[in-house]
């Protein structure tokens, strides 16, 4: 089957077409046929398109909204210029898989989208006001343009974490807040943590129940997940993706009283404070320069910039704290696994995080952790390290495509 995977952000659209099916999943032989990114979706969009094996094509086009972005993608897919393997008409797209950020407590696995599912995703808008509306626009747009005959599946960022026990997901605030408003930890990046755990299991050649690892997703958004006996036991993001690790522009953990304090001192309201914590904090906030780790590392190295160094140090220190906390919570783990743009590509950041963890049994192998492993799968600790470390590039789109096929064919998810 050819699956169109859509990931709609507030002003962007990422897509991939993946050829997959139950037998291809079994043989790990599913293939990406094409991919693309449309940025500044409302306005003069910047568009990057690529047919697998061909050079990237960049162009701009005026786009009104997500629907017109999807329309643009569909036209490109079937245009004679693109020549995507096995795709000649829209009839060759057999299903659509959507990344949906917040599934609330309702969705513990991927589901076939119908009117009721759409209503329930709409109900979760209040939990993810930045993300779910954009995801929904993708769903409405694809339904309208491809017709309801093409099955669509929602794959939730929160679903993997539905196994967390109350001790992980409840906050120590009045219980009524949970009962009345479902205020609790949901966790995000679940598709990434799940994919990485699945690849780890394959590399280690063990059963799912034997997977005891800490996965650390470091991208623009960052989160850690304690995976015990193959299930999410705890994760660092909370009710929203704000909690936990330091991120590109998000603060991660702060003392909640800071909000009230800033409100008084700066004379600004909750909405502005939320913007500060979501959009002006993290690496950007500390460095005052950029949210981009690659640029910060360059500033630190080339200009010896103090605040760039501080931002990276605070970032790495927070990850280290979570590793320690999760090891204690899990009663030990076999490995930690790095993923996401920073985790996959920055040997320097991985080294700074692991530095000083030798006492807990983690010995990094400098050569294995070097440039060679960047963007690839591999072990980066020494052979006899008691706690091992790995780099495993994430592939959320592949998991979304696979879940789409399994959901349509009613085959329970396995990883
Ligand atoms: P998103 O969360 O938006 O998917 P990514 O996973 O692509 O983002 O991660 C983006 C982050 O990865 C940026 O901070 C970028 O600087 C960082 N990154 C990418 N390549 C490197 C690299 N070679 N060294 C350090 N950081 C990198």
């Amino acid at each position: 089957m050819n699956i169109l995977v859509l990931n709609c952000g507030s002003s962007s659209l990422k897509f991939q077409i993946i050829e997959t099916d139950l037998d291809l999943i079994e043989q790990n032989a599913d293939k990406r046929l094409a991919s693309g990114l449309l940025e500044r979706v409302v306005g003069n969009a910047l568009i990057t398109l690529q047919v697998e094996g061909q050079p990237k094509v960049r162009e701009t086009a005026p786009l009104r909204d997500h629907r017109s972005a999807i329309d643009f993608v569909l036209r490109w897919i079937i245009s004679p210029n693109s020549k995507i393997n096995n795709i000649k008409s829209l009839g060759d797209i057999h299903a659509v898989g959507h990344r949906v950020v917040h599934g609330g407590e309702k969705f513990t696995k991927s589901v076939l989208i119908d009117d009721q599912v759409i209503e329930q995703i709409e109900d979760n808008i209040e939990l993810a006001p930045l993300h779910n509306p954009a995801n929904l626009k993708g769903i409405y747009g694809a339904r309208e343009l491809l017709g309801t005959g093409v099955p669509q599946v929602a794959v939730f960022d929160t679903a993997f974490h539905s196994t967390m026990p109350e001790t992980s997901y409840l906050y120590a605030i009045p219980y009524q807040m949970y009962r009345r408003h479902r205020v609790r930890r949901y966790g995000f990046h679940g598709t990434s943590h799940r994919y990485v755990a699945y690849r780890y299991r394959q590399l280690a050649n063990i059963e799912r129940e034997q997977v005891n690892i800490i996965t650390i997703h470091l991208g623009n958004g960052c989160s850690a997940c304690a995976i015990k006996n193959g299930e999410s036991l705890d994760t660092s993001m909370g009710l929203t993706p704000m909690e936990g690790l330091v991120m590109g522009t998000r603060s991660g953990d702060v003392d909640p009283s800071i909000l009230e304090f800033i409100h008084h001192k700066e004379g600004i309201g909750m909405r502005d404070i939320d913007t500060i914590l979501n959009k002006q904090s993290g690496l950007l906030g500390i460095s005052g320069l950029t949210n981009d780790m690659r640029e910060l590392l360059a500033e630190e190295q080339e200009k010896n910039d103090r605040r760039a160094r501080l931002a990276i140090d605070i970032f790495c220190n927070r990850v280290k704290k979570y590793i320690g906390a999760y090891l204690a919570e899990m009663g030990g783990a076999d490995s930690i696994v790095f993923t996401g743009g920073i985790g996959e590509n920055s040997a320097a950041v991985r080294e700074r995080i692991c530095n000083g963890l030798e006492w807990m049994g983690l010995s990094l192998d400098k050569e294995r952790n070097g440039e060679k492993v960047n963007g690839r799968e591999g072990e980066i600790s020494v052979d006899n390290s008691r706690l091992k470390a790995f780099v495993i590039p994430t592939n959320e789109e592949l998991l979304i495509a696979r879940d789409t096929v399994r959901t349509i064919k009613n085959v329970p998810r396995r990883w």
Side-chain angles (χ1 to χ4, degrees):
M1 294 178 85
N2 298 321
I3 311 294
L4 174 63
V5 176
L6 290 179
N7 179 356
C8 289
S10 55
S11 64
S12 68
L13 170 83
K14 280 193 217 162
F15 75 90
Q16 288 195 7
I17 303 172
I18 295 176
E19 185 189 357
T20 181
D21 217 322
L22 298 180
D23 53 339
L24 296 177
I25 297 173
E26 202 64 45
Q27 298 152 22
N28 222 348
D30 21 23
K31 278 202 299 275
R32 183 169 63 198
L33 304 178
S35 58
L37 167 66
L38 290 77
E39 296 168 281
R40 288 203 319 233
V41 156
V42 185
N44 200 23
L46 300 171
I47 300 169
T48 312
L49 304 161
Q50 186 172 32
V51 177
E52 213 49 25
Q54 307 281 326
K56 281 186 179 157
V57 180
R58 292 200 166 82
E59 54 186 282
T60 58
L63 295 177
R64 265 195 328 275
D65 49 22
H66 283 84
R67 184 192 175 282
S68 48
I70 297 170
D71 191 37
F72 182 96
V73 169
L74 295 176
R75 283 171 199 272
W76 175 74
I77 288 171
I78 57 168
S79 79
N81 301 339
S82 53
K83 293 200 192 73
I84 302 171
N85 251 353
N86 301 334
I87 298 197
K88 297 201 171 53
S89 72
L90 289 185
D92 294 323
I93 295 175
H94 304 117
V96 184
H98 293 269
R99 176 189 181 210
V100 179
V101 169
H102 218 307
E105 286 194 317
K106 170 79 195 162
F107 296 111
T108 57
K109 59 183 175 52
S110 305
V111 289
L112 198 60
I113 297 173
D114 58 18
D115 291 342
Q116 205 187 353
V117 167
I118 290 181
E119 266 175 41
Q120 283 156 343
I121 298 173
E122 286 168 347
D123 285 347
N124 287 332
I125 287 179
E126 61 176 7
L127 292 170
L130 295 179
H131 297 99
N132 273 26
N135 304 154
L136 279 163
K137 282 180 194 158
I139 295 172
Y140 306 140
R143 270 191 142 195
E144 207 181 310
L145 294 161
L146 287 167
T148 43
V150 176
Q152 304 206 34
V153 170
V155 179
F156 300 93
D157 266 23
T158 45
F160 180 61
H161 303 299
S162 64
T163 49
M164 284 190 295
E166 282 176 316
T167 41
S168 300
Y169 74 68
L170 281 181
Y171 292 109
I173 59 175
Y175 194 76
Q176 300 89 290
M177 295 299 142
Y178 170 61
R179 265 216 306 256
R180 279 193 217 140
H181 312 296
R182 301 284 126 186
V183 174
R184 51 160 285 181
R185 175 185 313 288
Y186 291 94
F188 299 88
H189 283 154
T191 315
S192 176
H193 292 295
R194 190 177 132 215
Y195 177 80
V196 166
Y198 150 79
R199 281 303 301 158
Y200 174 83
R201 176 171 79 80
Q202 291 203 320
L203 292 174
N205 199 14
I206 53 177
E207 295 300 316
R208 181 175 179 269
E209 292 71 24
Q210 295 172 307
V211 173
N212 289 302
I213 59 176
I214 299 171
T215 46
I216 303 170
H217 179 114
L218 305 176
N220 277 315
C222 302
S223 71
C225 182
I227 300 177
K228 185 163 180 176
N229 302 333
E231 292 185 338
S232 173
L233 171 74
D234 204 350
T235 191
S236 57
M237 286 175 164
L239 175 77
T240 75
M242 179 104 92
E243 193 182 345
L245 304 180
V246 175
M247 315 186 203
T249 62
R250 292 185 211 135
S251 61
D253 295 337
V254 292
D255 176 349
S257 297
I258 287 179
L259 279 68
E260 172 82 4
F261 192 80
I262 293 178
H263 163 67
H264 281 300
K265 289 288 180 191
E266 297 273 321
I268 54 177
M270 281 311 296
R271 183 173 285 208
D272 290 333
I273 295 174
D274 193 69
T275 304
I276 291 176
L277 295 178
N278 247 313
K279 303 247 167 80
Q280 299 163 10
S281 296
L283 294 174
L284 171 67
I286 303 164
S287 69
L289 291 172
T290 173
N291 63 328
D292 191 298
M293 180 58 93
R294 211 172 354 192
E295 288 175 24
L296 282 179
L297 288 162
E299 285 289 328
E300 182 190 35
Q301 201 173 32
E302 288 156 22
K303 305 199 185 121
N304 202 13
D305 187 277
R306 188 186 87 83
R307 276 174 51 195
R309 171 166 314 113
L310 195 57
I312 302 165
D313 283 344
I314 294 172
F315 179 94
C316 294
N317 191 50
R318 184 78 56 87
V319 178
K320 199 181 282 217
K321 272 198 201 177
Y322 268 88
I323 293 173
Y326 285 167
L327 283 174
E329 192 178 4
M330 297 167 75
D334 296 324
S335 300
I336 61 171
V337 186
F338 290 99
T339 195
I342 301 171
E344 292 165 24
N345 295 302
S346 178
V349 171
R350 293 192 300 262
E351 190 177 333
R352 272 153 92 156
I353 291 168
C354 295
N355 204 357
L357 297 186
E358 294 76 13
W359 66 272
M360 59 163 69
L362 174 59
S363 304
L364 214 57
D365 182 316
K366 283 217 164 130
E367 203 179 313
R368 285 182 181 171
N369 184 45
E371 297 301 318
K372 269 209 311 275
V373 77
N374 286 347
R376 301 230 168 99
E377 286 177 345
E379 187 177 343
I380 55 171
S381 45
V382 299
D383 276 340
N384 58 356
S385 188
R386 209 153 30 84
L387 176 62
K388 295 181 184 306
F390 285 80
V391 172
I392 299 183
T394 193
N395 196 341
E396 292 160 273
E397 290 80 6
L398 181 62
L399 201 47
I400 292 173
R402 288 177 169 186
D403 263 18
T404 302
V405 166
R406 291 177 185 125
T407 306
I408 293 168
K409 300 202 168 176
N410 212 1
V411 175
R413 128 188 151 192
R414 285 177 33 222
W415 61 267

